[in-house]
Amino acid sequence: MNSGDAWVEGPQGERFWGRFGAAGLLVHDLGRGILLQHRADWSHFGGTWGLPGGARHEGESAVDGALREAHEEADVPPDAVRVLFESVLDLGFWSYTTVVTQAVRPFEARMADVESIELRWVPVEQVADLPLHPGFGASWPELRARLSGRAD
């Protein structure tokens, strides 16, 4: 598969990461909360908190891309999560898919590459208290509402 690691420029000059779109993995552990990534300062919106994720490869599904990226960045074992739903932001020329999962067994996330300052399990009710990546911050209220309606 061809890597999607490149910027896409929108009609207003805005830039988005991922030639074939991007995907992130929201992991909800019923006991610990949401796995968040404190983004490296050099990254896009560095210093903010968001989800492990990144550019999708050519032909890669959003679920496969989110699982791959979360494993590469945070050592999330793909067999430790169950997909609940997907939420898609489609801008026509670029898309971002949040793949929402629930942990089905405990695991310890660890910084597996240089894209994180820190990884942390954050209680659901405290997520919005952090300085969130703007895209994640805008989508969090709806994601939280949908997640709350699905909690087992």
Side-chain angles (χ1 to χ4, degrees), residues 32-129:
R32 297 185 287 178
I34 306 297
L35 178 62
L36 292 182
Q37 173 191 52
H38 194 185
R39 300 169 59 81
D41 289 332
W42 56 263
S43 68
H44 196 227
F45 295 107
T48 62
W49 290 83
L51 304 175
R56 291 167 54 186
H57 293 321
E58 184 175 24
E60 184 176 48
S61 73
V63 169
D64 288 344
L67 289 169
R68 176 184 52 76
E69 286 283 340
H71 186 261
E72 290 174 2
E73 294 178 2
D75 206 22
V76 174
D79 67 345
V81 298
R82 175 174 52 94
V83 175
L84 298 176
F85 63 90
E86 298 174 38
S87 177
V88 180
L89 169 67
D90 189 346
L91 302 178
F93 61 91
W94 182 84
S95 68
Y96 183 90
T97 303
T98 303
V99 177
V100 179
T101 66
Q102 183 173 311
V104 295
R105 67 174 174 82
F107 67 90
E108 291 307 319
R110 77 173 178 84
M111 292 186 294
D113 69 11
V114 298
E115 296 185 36
S116 304
I117 296 170
E118 177 184 1
L119 297 168
R120 183 188 306 172
W121 291 100
V122 178
V124 171
E125 63 277 2
Q126 294 176 18
V127 169
D129 296 340

